[in-house]
Amino acid sequence: DTAVSQTPKYLVTQMGNDKSIKCEQNLGHDTMYWYKQDSKKFLKIMFSYNNKELIINETVPNRFSPKSPDKAHLNLHINSLELGDSAVYFCASSQGGMNTEAFFGQGTRLTVV
Amino acid sequence: AQTVTQSQPEMSVQEAETVTLSCTYDTSESNYYLFWYKQPPSRQMILVIRQEAYKQQNATENRFSVNFQKAAKSFSLKISDSQLGDTAMYFCAFHTGTASKLTFGTGTRLQVTL
């Protein structure tokens, strides 16, 4: 009964390729996020969606395109992968509102070679 | 700009001892929530404790408690009776009314030793 699940957990790919990471939550939450954790463990918001609508796009390159087909899913597609895209990507969801806990997926470790 | 600073990149504590992790933040908003998240080696992010800025009483969750000093914009985490399972990265974060996101600090790596 995983609350927020991401696939795949590990992804190794060559520069220039296009890849997608899928995220699903079964908590009935309205808000979903993508965070990027770099090699120094710093977590930074990339995107925030509320009820399938984009709320935050935090100066992320256009090569990154989130897609929310419904409230329970938020996928991340990355075009023309670069070495600097190597990181752990976390999907998260919350009920919305600043007092609510964000539930995180287990992360996807992306390695671009 | 809204920022969170964790000045201790790494800390170590012996089992059963008490340790305090520091966090300071900067925001111009008056209402917000503060959080501590734990990230063990499994990579899973887990909520440890949360505090509303309007509440003066410090939050506690079993062995975890906070020292919230609003005027100083300080939000430290105290772990009592440390256990080996507390070994993890700890992230301080806050969420304001106007931002639809958590802003995280750089994290403190805590090692609990025998």
Side-chain angles (χ1 to χ4, degrees):
Chain A
D1 280 4
T2 305
V4 181
S5 60
Q6 293 178 232
T7 53
K9 289 189 170 49
Y10 298 93
L11 186 52
V12 180
T13 188
Q14 290 188 326
M15 273 195 310
N17 283 351
D18 303 338
K19 289 292 177 186
S20 292
I21 306 172
K22 295 187 176 181
C23 178
E24 176 182 6
Q25 54 98 0
N26 62 6
L27 298 166
H29 289 164
D30 292 331
T31 305
M32 295 187 72
Y33 313 84
W34 278 107
Y35 282 86
K36 178 180 180 180
Q37 187 172 43
D38 63 23
S39 58
K40 295 184 179 177
K41 302 291 188 184
F42 183 61
L43 273 156
K44 188 171 163 54
I45 185 78
M46 298 174 70
F47 301 103
S48 168
Y49 269 73
N50 185 266
N51 272 321
K52 301 193 301 174
E53 287 193 23
L54 180 66
I55 303 297
I56 290 177
N57 179 343
E58 197 85 349
T59 60
V60 177
N62 290 339
R63 298 183 295 104
F64 290 79
S65 54
K67 283 189 172 51
S68 182
D70 56 57
K71 213 170 72 164
H73 295 83
L74 180 61
N75 304 322
L76 183 65
H77 188 75
I78 316 169
N79 289 329
S80 303
L81 278 154
E82 301 176 358
L83 292 176
D85 297 331
S86 295
V88 179
Y89 293 85
F90 283 96
C91 177
S93 75
S94 73
Q95 193 48 47
M98 57 182 171
N99 63 328
T100 57
E101 176 183 355
F103 290 80
F104 286 78
Q106 283 200 298
T108 296
R109 181 179 291 282
L110 171 65
T111 304
V112 183
V113 297
Chain B
Q2 299 179 336
T3 59
V4 181
T5 301
Q6 294 179 249
S7 59
Q8 305 150 315
E10 293 186 4
M11 293 194 73
S12 182
V13 63
Q14 285 192 319
E15 202 177 19
E17 297 294 308
T18 295
V19 64
T20 299
L21 309 184
S22 301
C23 172
T24 58
Y25 60 92
D26 189 23
T27 179
S28 57
E29 302 205 24
S30 59
N31 195 21
Y32 46 88
Y33 269 77
L34 294 156
F35 302 84
W36 278 97
Y37 278 85
K38 167 185 175 181
Q39 186 180 37
S42 67
R43 237 171 40 203
Q44 183 71 52
M45 294 286 288
I46 303 162
L47 177 68
V48 175
I49 198 165
R50 82 187 88 183
Q51 171 84 39
E52 182 178 4
Y54 270 121
K55 288 191 176 174
Q56 290 187 334
Q57 186 174 6
N58 289 323
T60 62
E61 287 285 344
N62 301 315
R63 299 182 295 107
F64 299 87
S65 61
V66 299
N67 183 0
F68 175 47
Q69 303 288 330
K70 189 171 184 178
K73 294 182 179 174
S74 169
F75 182 60
S76 59
L77 174 70
K78 185 170 85 170
I79 306 174
S80 304
D81 185 25
S82 297
Q83 300 175 358
L84 294 177
D86 296 334
T87 292
M89 285 287 292
Y90 286 81
F91 293 94
C92 178
F94 73 83
H95 195 312
T96 67
T98 57
S100 300
K101 63 179 181 181
L102 283 166
T103 299
F104 285 92
T106 49
T108 296
R109 186 183 301 277
L110 177 67
Q111 180 74 44
V112 181
T113 60
L114 291 170

